[in-house]
Amino acid sequence: MLELEPDDLAKFRKWVVGFCIVNFDLEIGQALDYLYPPMDLTLTEQKNICFSAFPDSNVFEVGDQVFNIRLRASNSLFAASGPTTSAGFLYGYVFFRQKKDASIRRGYFQKSLVLLSQHPFVGLFSRVVASLGPAFFDVGQPMLEAAVMNIANWSLPQYDGTILDLPFLGHLLQVQLPQARKPQLLETSSFDMNKMQPDLQIMASVPVGGLYFHFKDIFKDLWLLWELILLGEPIIVIAPDPGICSEAVVSLVDLINPIPYCGDYRPYFTIQDADFKNFVNKSQPPTNLILGVTNPFFNTAIGHWPHIVRVGRQQLSHRTSKPNLGSKANVLYDFVQGVTSKRKGVVQKDKDLLRMLTEAAVRGHPPDWLLNNILRRHFADLTEKFLVPLNRYFRTLIPTVTPVSVSETSPPPQLRPFQTDQFLKSLKEHGTPLAFKTTFKTRTSTTDPIKELYGQFLKCGHFATWLQQSISTTQQHLEQQYLDQLCHLRPGSKRPSEQLVKIIRDILVKAKKRGGQKKKKRRGGEACCLLFSCFFYW
């Protein structure tokens, strides 16, 4: 196969690690045919890719499936790390084809094309494999080589809201990448909603089907699911096929955006996964975990899990898939959609939104992609309302940086510590804009549902992640203000103290490390401080 030049390979791997071709071997089962471009993966990683690249149950006879997976890859040089985990993960985007073939002893041709990436760009890469998959199976390796060269010529990923023009196999994809701690919504994108072409104008982190498409029959349960995910509860999602399953899980993880989901989630999890015995046993499931499954075995194996979601319409006959995700004939096993949970939801549902979505589904207008955006925006707003008391209290922890408070002998200002009792006192005094069910006012229990919900959140990993990121961002801003004020001082003829030199050096080292992770335009203050640091070493 075509060997890439080092520069082309480096540019390609800014987006994608590589492609894996997985075949079904009658003697050994799923087997890795080859990797392109070549890459070093551990044996465990290779096995997980192979087992995850095929549907875990016989849910259809012939056709194509597009779905996504998330694989533990702690030993891989290509793995991306989560917000709180040191172990990395790779994201896989799968195009699976199954068709009858009399020349094969089993009677079926079964093969998968897997795109591996360090990025959770499900909206972009699901479309990429949906386009490449049929062409690859019809033409062969030349199409794979062409796809790799297309990606190698893409511009570098940008996370500032820029619309990127990415040519791929004769189409021009216009793509916006997600910004940190901001949900991707049409209202905040540069796309014109009046001229929107969802298959070519892509918000990279938003699944093709999404929240509206997969949960339209159980809308009323979404507020409970929002609470469960917010509190880091273990959830298992059972669906008829890997496509529904994986997109449903990714949509649920996105439900609490802009709060970062700090736990482990597997959009499509099989019984052959290396973590199967750790997650599926008689013990209580770990917190901060969401698994998506299709194998009927899980119906009995996870009966003790506190929260089970069944999603995906019951199918009594063959059907075709969503547009641009290939075709499939699918006879699905019978199950009833809904949420089984040991928790009683306390947050008020939006009845007007439910009514509007129900009427839109009957009318068939507006289009699904617009309704999906409306639904996602509602839960993004819900999360922002939840954060109001936390942000309000957090602002009281921020010291004021003024010329009077800065001198050559003063250290950089530090945030005051977050104190739970003081936050709960502030919550009681100022309240929250989040609407709670009125039925809780008549309960005989003396428990305050508002205090209880926030108290539970303070004990879960999502709060720790949110607080750590908030502290990091705010401390950077304080250090910038400190350096800006310091730059306006007149040091005079005396050489600055060793203590001040060390303080400035430490700040600049941290700033350099942050710049290596995410490049930003230099502000005037930063340039000034770099000159100031040079003065120290003159």
Side-chain angles (χ1 to χ4, degrees):
M1 296 186 70
L2 178 67
E3 185 175 346
L4 270 67
E5 295 293 331
D7 287 348
D8 290 334
L9 182 60
K11 288 189 292 183
F12 171 80
R13 287 203 163 132
K14 294 294 184 181
W15 290 94
V16 176
V17 174
F19 289 94
C20 308
I21 307 302
V22 183
N23 197 8
F24 188 90
D25 186 286
L26 194 59
E27 303 297 329
I28 61 175
Q30 292 97 316
L32 195 62
D33 270 5
Y34 60 90
L35 305 167
Y36 181 71
M39 65 190 96
D40 293 324
L41 297 174
T42 67
L43 184 59
T44 299
E45 290 166 356
Q46 292 181 36
K47 286 182 177 179
N48 268 353
I49 292 168
C50 289
F51 288 131
S52 300
F54 278 47
D56 197 24
S57 57
N58 187 24
V59 295
F60 69 102
E61 291 187 359
V62 295
D64 301 334
Q65 282 267 322
V66 172
F67 57 97
N68 67 92
I69 56 179
R70 185 171 183 259
L71 306 162
R72 189 180 299 279
S74 57
N75 295 323
S76 174
L77 296 175
F78 308 114
S81 295
T84 60
T85 56
S86 57
F89 288 87
L90 284 172
Y91 299 88
Y93 306 89
V94 183
F95 182 93
F96 169 74
R97 171 163 290 184
Q98 177 168 286
K99 64 180 181 180
K100 291 183 178 180
D101 189 336
S103 66
I104 299 175
R105 192 159 47 147
R106 289 184 85 239
Y108 285 94
F109 168 92
Q110 295 174 307
K111 184 174 282 192
S112 288
L113 166 75
V114 184
L115 182 156
L116 282 182
S117 175
Q118 64 273 51
H119 302 298
F121 298 160
V122 62
L124 170 61
F125 290 134
S126 291
R127 288 176 171 89
V128 165
V129 295
S131 175
L132 173 60
F136 169 74
F137 284 116
D138 290 343
V139 178
Q141 291 182 358
M143 291 306 302
L144 190 58
E145 293 174 350
V148 168
M149 288 308 302
N150 279 172
I151 296 172
N153 285 305
W154 287 358
S155 55
L156 295 177
Q158 297 180 49
Y159 301 92
D160 57 0
T162 301
I163 302 296
L164 303 174
D165 290 332
L166 307 179
F168 188 74
L169 300 185
H171 298 282
L172 182 63
L173 307 179
Q174 292 185 301
V175 180
Q176 185 181 54
L177 302 185
Q179 300 181 63
R181 303 184 73 176
K182 290 184 179 179
Q184 278 203 282
L185 297 167
L186 289 173
E187 291 82 357
T188 55
S189 76
S190 302
F191 294 127
D192 184 348
M193 285 192 284
N194 296 318
K195 300 178 181 178
M196 189 73 178
Q197 295 179 281
D199 295 322
L200 298 177
Q201 295 173 309
I202 301 166
M203 292 188 292
S205 68
V206 181
V208 176
L211 196 64
Y212 174 81
F213 186 88
H214 297 304
F215 290 86
K216 63 172 60 177
D217 293 329
I218 54 172
F219 281 148
K220 61 182 177 60
D221 293 318
L222 285 175
W223 283 263
L224 172 59
L225 290 172
W226 178 84
E227 291 182 37
L228 296 177
I229 296 163
L230 180 76
L231 300 178
E233 290 287 323
I235 300 173
I236 194 152
V237 178
I238 305 176
D241 66 58
I244 296 174
C245 175
S246 59
E247 287 202 346
V249 170
V250 173
S251 297
L252 289 179
V253 169
D254 179 62
L255 208 59
I256 61 170
N257 208 331
I259 294 175
Y261 186 84
C262 77
D264 191 358
Y265 67 96
R266 308 297 176 90
Y268 187 54
F269 187 76
T270 72
I271 60 175
Q272 293 95 353
D273 193 283
D275 286 324
F276 176 78
K277 291 182 179 180
N278 296 328
F279 293 158
V280 184
N281 50 51
K282 294 181 180 180
S283 302
Q284 286 299 310
T287 58
N288 298 315
L289 175 66
I290 304 178
L291 299 181
V293 302
T294 60
N295 195 317
F297 165 81
F298 286 97
N299 282 310
T300 54
I302 48 83
H304 62 290
W305 279 52
H307 316 292
I308 301 172
V309 181
R310 290 179 172 85
V311 64
R313 292 192 174 190
Q314 178 181 353
Q315 303 294 319
L316 300 178
S317 60
H318 296 296
R319 70 176 174 89
T320 57
S321 67
K322 301 186 295 296
N324 297 306
L325 286 187
S327 61
K328 58 185 175 182
N330 202 347
V331 181
L332 307 180
Y333 56 83
D334 183 11
F335 74 97
V336 179
Q337 295 186 81
V339 177
T340 303
S341 175
K342 293 183 179 180
R343 179 181 175 83
K344 299 295 183 182
V346 297
V347 174
Q348 180 67 51
K349 301 182 180 82
D350 189 322
K351 294 180 180 179
D352 291 336
L353 176 63
L354 283 171
R355 188 181 304 111
M356 185 276 289
L357 293 173
T358 302
E359 292 173 354
V362 173
R363 290 196 311 267
H365 184 78
D368 282 7
W369 57 266
L370 186 55
L371 293 170
N372 186 57
N373 186 77
I374 291 171
L375 190 58
R376 291 181 59 250
R377 185 182 64 211
H378 170 80
F379 283 100
D381 291 343
L382 195 71
T383 305
E384 291 286 7
K385 289 179 181 178
F386 175 81
L387 286 173
V388 166
L390 288 155
N391 287 326
R392 180 173 54 222
Y393 172 69
F394 187 82
R395 285 194 294 271
T396 68
L397 308 178
I398 303 173
T400 302
V401 181
T402 64
V404 177
S405 64
V406 174
S407 70
E408 288 191 47
T409 59
S410 63
Q414 298 294 316
L415 282 165
R416 290 181 283 275
F418 190 104
Q419 296 180 318
T420 299
D421 58 340
Q422 292 300 310
F423 164 72
L424 292 176
K425 181 180 178 181
S426 172
L427 176 66
K428 184 177 181 179
E429 181 179 351
H430 300 288
T432 173
L434 201 63
F436 283 73
K437 291 180 178 178
T438 55
T439 53
F440 283 90
K441 294 180 181 179
T442 61
R443 282 187 169 183
T444 56
S445 172
T446 57
T447 303
D448 178 0
I450 298 176
K451 181 180 178 181
E452 185 177 33
L453 180 65
Y454 279 92
Q456 290 170 332
F457 178 71
L458 295 183
K459 296 175 183 177
C460 81
H462 297 331
F463 167 70
T465 304
W466 173 84
L467 182 61
Q468 185 274 326
Q469 292 188 355
S470 298
I471 290 174
S472 177
T473 301
T474 306
Q475 196 61 48
Q476 289 176 32
H477 183 64
L478 288 174
E479 289 172 357
Q480 179 64 57
Q481 289 181 312
Y482 171 81
L483 292 178
D484 286 347
Q485 293 294 337
L486 210 54
C487 285
H488 291 89
L489 296 178
R490 294 181 179 271
S493 58
K494 292 183 178 180
R495 182 178 179 85
S497 66
E498 291 185 7
Q499 179 185 1
L500 184 57
V501 172
K502 183 178 184 302
I503 290 171
I504 299 297
R505 184 190 299 120
D506 290 344
I507 292 175
L508 292 174
V509 167
K510 286 192 289 184
K512 184 178 180 180
K513 288 181 179 178
R514 291 194 298 266
Q517 296 168 357
K518 185 177 180 181
K519 292 183 180 180
K520 294 181 179 180
K521 292 182 179 180
R522 272 188 191 166
R523 292 165 50 187
E526 290 174 322
C528 174
C529 291
L530 287 174
L531 292 174
F532 192 60
S533 66
C534 292
F535 166 79
F536 287 157
Y537 299 104
W538 183 256

